[in-house]
Amino acid sequence: GEDVEQSLFLSVREGDSSVINCTYTDSSSTYLYWYKQEPGAGLQLLTYIFSNMDMKQDQRLTVLLNKKDKHLSLRIADTQTGDSAIYFCAERASGGYQKVTFGTGTKLQVIP
Amino acid sequence: GAVVSQHPSRVICKSGTSVKIECRSLDFQATTMFWYRQFPKKSLMLMATSNEGSKATYEQGVEKDKFLINHASLTLSTLTVTSAHPEDSSFYICSARGRTGGSYEQYFGPGTRLTVT
């Protein structure tokens, strides 16, 4: 079955870059997503990448995909205190209901 | 962007009672809706998937008689937690998938925090 893994915690200083990593097992994934969840809130879609792309950049966010190694990363440039949240990567299966499987989440703490 | 709402956002109920959570897609038709459960400091666990007008498909380990899902229309799905117990306390998040702007995407609701006392 699908399995998505992330490191649990990341701490960075304000202004530095943050890199959150994710590994997945389903090689047939069509889309890979990054979501942000602030305390007590729902999920906010940050960005996504098609499985046939290597990189996608959107303002301060850069997504890198290494399909061979099944590794996805999210880089946040010039990290701000408002970026403190839990970040989930997720993969979308290609068959069936195309269900989305979430990673374990990485808590990003930004130190002023 | 597409909006998915949930109601209520927070509910406290007594053990043994049933609670209904609504999920609505406000500006698109959701052919498929998903219900997730999130335990504290944990990831989202998919509970079930439903298509409009058909029975929900439950993930392994999720009791269908405990968590009743109804997807009556293309804009509304409901999750009813029957005979709730304290261990059912959790954050429930729905997601709706439909065609918006030429592609099928999945959008998440803001979540419902259920506390069973």
Side-chain angles (χ1 to χ4, degrees):
Chain A
E2 308 87 1
D3 194 19
V4 184
E5 297 286 338
Q6 298 176 240
S7 53
L8 291 179
F9 189 77
L10 176 66
S11 180
V12 299
R13 292 205 174 274
E14 189 175 19
D16 288 350
S17 292
S18 308
V19 179
I20 303 171
N21 294 301
C22 171
T23 58
Y24 61 97
T25 58
D26 186 359
S27 58
S28 67
S29 299
T30 54
Y31 293 77
L32 295 125
Y33 303 89
W34 283 104
Y35 288 89
K36 177 183 180 182
Q37 185 180 37
E38 297 186 28
L43 293 171
Q44 175 193 356
L45 176 64
L46 287 179
T47 186
Y48 65 92
I49 190 169
F50 294 108
S51 60
N52 62 358
M53 296 170 65
D54 298 324
M55 187 193 83
K56 180 179 180 181
Q57 186 163 2
D58 184 3
Q59 299 182 335
R60 292 192 298 125
L61 305 178
T62 303
V63 179
L64 294 177
L65 174 61
N66 182 329
K67 197 171 181 182
K68 175 177 171 289
D69 295 338
K70 301 191 189 67
H71 182 267
L72 182 74
S73 68
L74 173 69
R75 179 177 180 271
I76 305 173
D78 187 24
T79 312
Q80 303 297 308
T81 54
D83 295 326
S84 293
I86 299 176
Y87 291 80
F88 292 95
C89 69
E91 62 168 355
R92 178 166 153 182
S94 59
Y97 286 114
Q98 298 182 35
K99 72 176 185 180
V100 175
T101 301
F102 286 83
T104 46
T106 299
K107 184 173 183 178
L108 175 63
Q109 179 186 51
V110 182
I111 303 167
Chain B
V3 177
V4 176
S5 70
Q6 278 184 245
H7 178 79
S9 58
R10 184 181 293 266
V11 58
I12 300 173
C13 70
K14 291 188 183 301
S15 188
T17 60
S18 295
V19 174
K20 181 185 283 188
I21 303 169
E22 289 187 351
C23 175
R24 293 182 186 273
S25 57
L26 298 186
D27 49 4
F28 68 100
Q29 292 186 323
T31 49
T32 306
M33 285 193 171
F34 305 84
W35 285 95
Y36 293 85
R37 179 175 180 177
Q38 186 180 32
F39 293 95
K41 300 181 181 179
K42 297 288 185 184
S43 187
L44 282 77
M45 180 192 77
L46 179 64
M47 298 173 67
T49 304
S50 72
N51 285 314
E52 184 260 342
S54 61
K55 289 184 180 180
T57 301
Y58 288 81
E59 295 297 301
Q60 192 173 8
V62 179
E63 298 175 61
K64 63 180 181 180
D65 296 329
K66 171 78 172 172
F67 299 99
L68 300 177
I69 292 171
N70 185 292
H71 190 164
S73 76
L74 285 171
T75 59
L76 173 65
S77 176
T78 60
L79 167 68
T80 302
V81 183
T82 62
S83 187
H85 288 93
E87 57 265 31
D88 298 324
S89 298
S90 195
F91 194 52
Y92 292 88
I93 302 175
C94 77
S95 178
R97 179 183 293 158
R99 184 175 287 278
T100 59
S103 64
Y104 277 103
E105 282 305 332
Q106 186 170 339
Y107 301 90
F108 286 83
T112 297
R113 180 153 314 276
L114 170 64
T115 303
V116 184
T117 61

